[in-house]
Each structure stands twice: as structure tokens, then as C-alpha cells.
């Protein structure tokens, strides 16, 4: 009876695999979707998927890579949380609002992926990307997907090569001796003499619809090997600082080459000031600026980045501060009216540049690179591509300046 069941299952798999091959050979285009699972009830790190990592929501790193890869007919985030949904949409994803049945602590990834597949029958291939893998690049996805679309595999998953010697676990209090699992202790190989072992790194899993119907991995499967520097996985808080340093060095920062940053538009009110107006006993009004921010502006200027200070509105205190900063830093001051986006666009056209940062949400969305202080309005944070750890008037401009210079250095070392 067991053998008969096995033969029956094998026959079904053969039919499905032949069907997949017919679709491939006929040249028919299959709908390929990227799917990121992002439940709101993370136990290790609350709302981990939208926690800021190097100025970007964690999920933003993989969404940026998925969208920029241009390999997908649709990019989705599956979630049960309103805040995650807002961030997902801000980063260009559609949202699959998962049902309560697949939002439990006991729910598996397979449950959610199968629900998504049922609700989206047009999707033939699903690339399940883990939100906790922020060093994913578009070329990883492109090369792995070609194993499905061009080489005929039905399941592809990412791996990394590890050189770890493994030993059998012995329960506490047990009297048994441990045993080596993947080495001969009498002939321990040198690292350079051992190829190591391939381990899943959890970055992504790609499946055809037929594979999903019977499990997450099956049929004609293959692995895609990623280098260790790109294999970052975040499960607990202690991983966060390590991941932040790794992503700043090996993360994907977008299609635009960082070295093209030649102009920074900085709003005086809300970026260089902290929103407070100090009033003296005699009635004088004063605002303060952090010297770290002015030093950040000078750092950019030394690297050839033009900085223009934006002053909007008729507030005399802000205008006086802008004029004073202009004298101290040598920056031009521009007074903008109601049509901020139009005036910024004209300014960019005059310099033959794309917009890089502007004091308006519409401009932030259009920007190639944009940032907001930590205490900016939520709508601005969702629109910006970098959210500072520092608040307005407390080093946010310096932080963003250092981020720009880091990207320029990274670009010089890459291209």
C-alpha cells in the first residue's frame, strides 16, 4: 500500500513537471511574484520587519532589491499589521492582508504562501524573500530566477558555504560521549583544503505553483550559492548592530550610483532646528543649531557636494537664522513659496540633476536619495529613503552627510 501511494505521488509529480516544461518550451510568459512574509507579532523583536536598520525599515532593504531587479510582475508583502502595510506600500509593494487563520504563532510559512497562491491564481512562480536578509541584491534574484525560467528547475533556494565542524549533541546530564558528524578528528582538514558545507541561509526560496501545492521544496530542485558577506539573517536584538555594519558595507542602496550626489537641499526649519523657539525675558526670540550639523555641511562641501539651505514661510527668526548660516557655511539660501515641488524641480532642471532631498513629502517620494530626522512626521518617514537615528537640530544633518559620504566611498571602491 505504501509503495502504491509512492508511485501515485511520483506519477502526479511527473505530470506537473512535464506541464511546467511544456509552458517553458512554448515560450508562454509566466506571472512571477515576489512575496515577503511580514507578520506583526514577532516574538524576538517587536515589529522587527519595520524596525530601522541603517536608516531604512528592515523590510525596505529586500523590497528595494526586489523592485529594482525588474524580474517580477508583482511584488507583495503578506501581513496582518496596519503599520507594516503602510511601510510596504511606501516601498512599492502590494499587500496581501493575510487571514487570522494564517496569522497565528503556530502558522507556518507554507500556510501563508498557499493562501496567497489560492487568492492570486494568475501567479505561476513565487519568490519567497525573507525580510530578515537585508544584504540581498537584485543580481541574486535575477540569477536564481533564471534557474527556474531558463533551466527548468521547479524549486530554487539560497545557500551559503560554511566551514564549521559539527558534533553530535549530548543532552545535559547524559553519560554518552559526543561524536563528530562531519570530520575525522585524527585528520582535521585545513580550511583551504576543505570545501565546507552548503547550508540554507534563508534569504529566498523560489517555487512553481505545482511545487507549492505539495510543499515548499520538491520536484527538480537546485540551490543558489550566495557569498558569506551577503548572508545576513536577523533573529534577535543582538544581531542588529552586526547586521547594521554589514549592510552599510555590503547592502544594496538602489539603482542610482551614489557618486552622482552633487547637491543637497536642506530645510532649515525641521532639519537644522529642533522646533523650539527660545524667548528671553526681554522678549527676544532665538533658535539654536547643532555644530555637528554645520560640520556635516562642511564635510559635504569639501567633497564637492553643493548644499542649498531652504527657508520656507515668513518666519523672521528662521529667515534670520538661514542668513546667518549662509554667512558661516557659504551655502546659498533659497526662499520657497507654496509650490515647493515645482520650484525644486526647476532648480534641478537648471543643474541637470535629479532631486536628492527636499522639504516636502512629494519631493521625498521623487528623490533618488532622501532623508528625514528621527522625529519627522510619519508621512515623511514613510516617504524618505533614509530615516536618521538623530532628531532634528541634534545631529540629523551630520548623520545624513556621513551617510552620503559613505555611499560615495562605497561607489568609488565598487565601480
Amino acid at each position: 500500500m505504501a509503495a502504491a501511494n509512492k508511485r501515485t505521488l511520483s506519477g502526479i509529480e511527473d505530470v506537473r513537471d512535464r506541464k511546467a516544461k511544456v509552458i517553458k518550451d512554448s515560450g508562454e510568459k509566466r506571472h512571477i511574484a515576489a512575496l515577503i512574509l511580514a507578520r506583526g507579532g514577532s516574538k524576538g523583536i517587536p515589529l522587527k520587519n519595520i524596525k530601522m536598520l541603517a536608516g531604512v525599515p528592515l523590510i525596505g532593504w529586500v523590497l528595494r532589491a526586489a523592485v529594482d531587479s525588474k524580474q517580477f510582475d508583482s511584488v507583495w508583502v503578506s501581513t496582518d499589521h496596519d503599520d507594516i502595510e503602510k511601510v510596504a506600500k511606501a516601498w512599492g509593494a502590494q499587500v496581501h492582508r493575510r487571514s487570522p487563520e494564517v496569522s497565528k504563532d503556530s502558522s507556518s510559512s507554507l500556510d501563508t504562501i498557499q493562501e496567497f497562491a489560492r487568492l492570486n491564481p494568475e501567479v505561476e512562480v513565487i519568490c519567497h524573500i525573507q525580510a530578515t536578509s537585508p544584504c540581498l541584491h537584485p543580481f541574486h534574484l535575477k540569477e536564481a530566477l533564471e534557474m527556474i525560467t531558463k533551466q527548468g528547475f521547479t524549486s530554487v533556494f539560497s545557500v551559503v558555504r560554511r566551514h564549521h565542524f559539527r558534533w553530535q549533541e549530548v543532552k545535559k546530564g547524559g553519560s554518552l560521549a559526543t561524536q563528530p558528524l562531519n570530520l575525522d578528528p585524527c585528520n582535521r582538514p585545513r580550511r583551504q583544503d576543505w570545501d565546507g558545507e552548503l547550508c540554507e541561509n534563508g534569504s529566498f526560496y523560489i517555487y512553481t505553483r505545482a511545487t507549492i501545492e505539495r510543499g515548499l521544496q520538491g520536484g527538480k530542485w537546485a540551490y543558489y550559492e550566495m557569498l558569506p558577506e551577503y548572508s545576513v539573517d536577523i533573529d534577535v536584538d543582538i544581531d542588529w548592530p552586526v547586521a547594521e555594519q554589514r549592510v552599510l558595507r555590503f547592502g544594496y542602496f538602489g539603482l542610482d550610483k551614489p557618486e552622482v550626489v552633487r547637491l543637497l537641499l536642506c530645510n532649515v526649519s525641521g532639519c537644522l532646528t529642533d522646533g523650539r523657539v527660545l524667548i528671553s525675558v526681554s522678549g527676544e526670540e532665538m533658535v539654536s543649531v547643532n555644530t555637528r550639523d554645520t560640520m556635516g555641511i562642511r564635510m559635504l562641501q569639501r567633497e564637492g557636494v553643493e548644499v542649498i539651505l531652504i527657508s520656507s514661510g515668513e518666519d523672521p527668526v528662521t529667515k534670520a537664522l538661514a542668513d546667518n548660516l549662509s554667512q558661516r557655511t557659504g551655502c546659498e539660501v533659497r526662499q520657497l513659496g507654496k509650490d515647493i515641488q515645482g520650484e525644486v524641480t526647476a532648480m534641478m532642471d537648471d543643474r541637470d540633476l535629479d532631486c536628492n532631498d527636499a522639504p516636502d513629502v512629494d519631493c521625498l517620494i521623487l528623490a533618488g536619495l532622501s532623508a528625514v530626522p528621527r522625529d519627522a512626521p510619519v508621512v515623511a518617514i514613510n516617504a524618505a529613503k533614509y530615516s536618521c537615528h538623530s532628531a532634528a537640530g541634534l545631529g540629523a544633518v551630520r548623520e545624513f552627510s556621513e551617510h552620503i559620504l559613505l555611499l560615495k566611498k562605497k561607489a568609488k571602491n565598487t565601480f
Side-chain angles (χ1 to χ4, degrees):
M1 186 68 172
N5 287 339
K6 184 175 180 181
R7 285 196 298 270
T8 301
L9 178 58
S10 177
I12 293 172
E13 290 180 356
D14 289 344
V15 170
R16 285 170 172 163
D17 290 343
R18 285 198 300 270
K19 182 179 178 182
K21 187 175 186 300
V22 168
I23 292 175
K24 176 178 178 290
D25 292 343
S26 66
E28 179 182 338
K29 189 180 186 306
R30 292 180 286 180
H31 185 114
I32 302 175
L35 177 65
I36 297 95
L37 307 185
R39 192 168 67 91
S42 174
K43 297 301 181 185
I45 306 174
L47 287 180
K48 170 179 64 178
N49 295 305
I50 56 174
K51 182 178 177 179
M52 290 296 171
L53 179 74
V56 173
L58 178 60
I59 199 173
W61 290 101
V62 293
L63 283 174
R64 177 191 284 160
V67 172
D68 286 358
S69 73
K70 303 188 185 305
Q71 299 298 303
F72 301 105
D73 299 291
S74 57
V75 176
W76 296 79
V77 169
S78 174
T79 189
D80 59 346
H81 199 280
D82 291 341
D83 291 341
I84 296 177
E85 178 176 351
K86 291 176 184 176
V87 173
K89 289 180 177 178
W91 282 84
Q94 301 180 64
V95 173
H96 160 236
R97 195 72 184 207
R98 62 174 69 178
S99 67
E101 288 74 22
V102 299
S103 300
K104 305 172 184 175
D105 290 342
S106 58
S107 300
S108 67
S109 296
L110 177 59
D111 295 332
T112 308
I113 293 170
Q114 287 180 335
E115 179 185 76
F116 171 81
R118 286 196 302 272
L119 295 175
N120 297 275
E122 75 282 1
V123 175
E124 289 293 333
V125 178
I126 293 178
C127 180
H128 168 209
I129 302 173
Q130 299 270 42
T132 52
S133 300
C135 287
L136 182 68
H137 281 241
F139 76 86
H140 294 135
L141 298 171
K142 181 178 184 296
E143 292 173 358
L145 278 165
E146 287 178 350
M147 299 174 73
I148 296 278
T149 60
K150 295 183 179 180
Q151 299 178 38
F153 290 100
T154 59
S155 175
V156 176
F157 52 94
S158 58
V159 301
V160 64
R161 193 173 298 273
R162 302 293 189 196
H163 292 78
H164 296 160
F165 293 135
R166 295 182 294 108
W167 290 78
Q168 182 181 14
E169 180 181 1
V170 176
K171 299 300 182 182
K172 188 174 181 179
S175 58
L176 296 177
T178 186
Q179 297 295 325
L181 296 177
N182 65 344
L183 80 151
D184 177 1
C186 296
N187 296 284
R188 294 174 68 92
R190 298 183 304 168
R191 182 184 179 90
Q192 59 265 38
D193 297 330
W194 182 41
D195 290 336
E197 296 181 326
L198 295 177
C199 306
E200 291 187 15
N201 68 353
S203 189
F204 59 81
Y205 300 83
I206 309 175
Y207 335 93
T208 61
R209 174 174 286 274
T211 304
I212 295 168
E213 290 172 358
R214 59 181 181 261
L216 290 183
Q217 291 167 310
K220 184 181 179 183
W221 53 24
Y223 62 80
Y224 175 84
E225 185 175 354
M226 295 174 63
L227 294 175
E229 52 263 37
Y230 299 116
S231 298
V232 179
D233 192 20
I234 302 173
D235 287 322
V236 293
D237 255 331
I238 197 171
D239 297 334
W240 212 266
V242 176
E244 194 157 66
Q245 291 303 312
R246 183 76 68 84
V247 80
L248 285 173
R249 185 174 180 185
F250 298 109
Y252 172 68
F253 289 89
L255 290 171
D256 295 331
K257 295 181 180 180
E259 70 264 33
V260 302
V261 176
R262 299 187 351 237
L263 172 67
L264 174 71
L265 300 181
C266 181
N267 198 1
V268 174
S269 178
C271 289
L272 285 169
T273 64
D274 59 7
R276 297 182 300 169
V277 176
L278 306 178
I279 303 176
S280 68
V281 176
S282 60
E284 294 177 312
E285 295 183 347
M286 296 173 288
V287 291
S288 63
V289 174
N290 197 299
T291 56
R292 287 179 294 171
D293 290 328
T294 55
M295 178 58 68
I297 290 174
R298 292 190 178 97
M299 289 165 58
L300 289 177
Q301 290 172 325
R302 285 198 296 266
E303 292 296 323
V305 178
E306 182 184 1
V307 180
I308 294 181
L309 303 178
I310 300 298
S311 176
S312 55
E314 300 298 328
D315 180 19
V317 177
T318 302
K319 185 178 184 305
L321 174 63
D323 292 339
N324 189 291
L325 284 172
S326 176
Q327 295 176 9
R328 286 174 174 268
T329 62
C331 297
E332 179 186 351
V333 177
R334 287 289 186 97
Q335 182 80 22
L336 299 185
K338 294 182 178 180
D339 185 16
I340 296 178
Q341 184 176 354
E343 293 184 51
V344 167
T345 301
M347 204 182 308
M348 298 304 99
D349 290 342
D350 290 343
R351 291 167 171 79
D352 193 26
L353 294 173
D354 292 325
C355 180
N356 281 321
D357 187 20
D360 186 79
V361 170
D362 291 335
C363 295
L364 289 171
I365 294 173
L366 292 174
L369 181 63
S370 57
V372 292
R374 183 187 66 197
D375 52 348
V378 173
V379 64
I381 291 175
N382 288 339
K385 294 178 175 61
Y386 183 93
S387 295
C388 297
H389 293 291
S390 304
L394 296 174
V397 173
R398 169 66 177 266
E399 180 184 336
F400 187 45
S401 298
E402 291 178 346
H403 181 69
I404 292 174
L405 296 178
L406 178 67
L407 295 184
K408 289 172 72 69
K409 181 178 179 180
K410 176 183 173 73
K412 291 177 182 177
N413 292 335
T414 303
F415 300 104

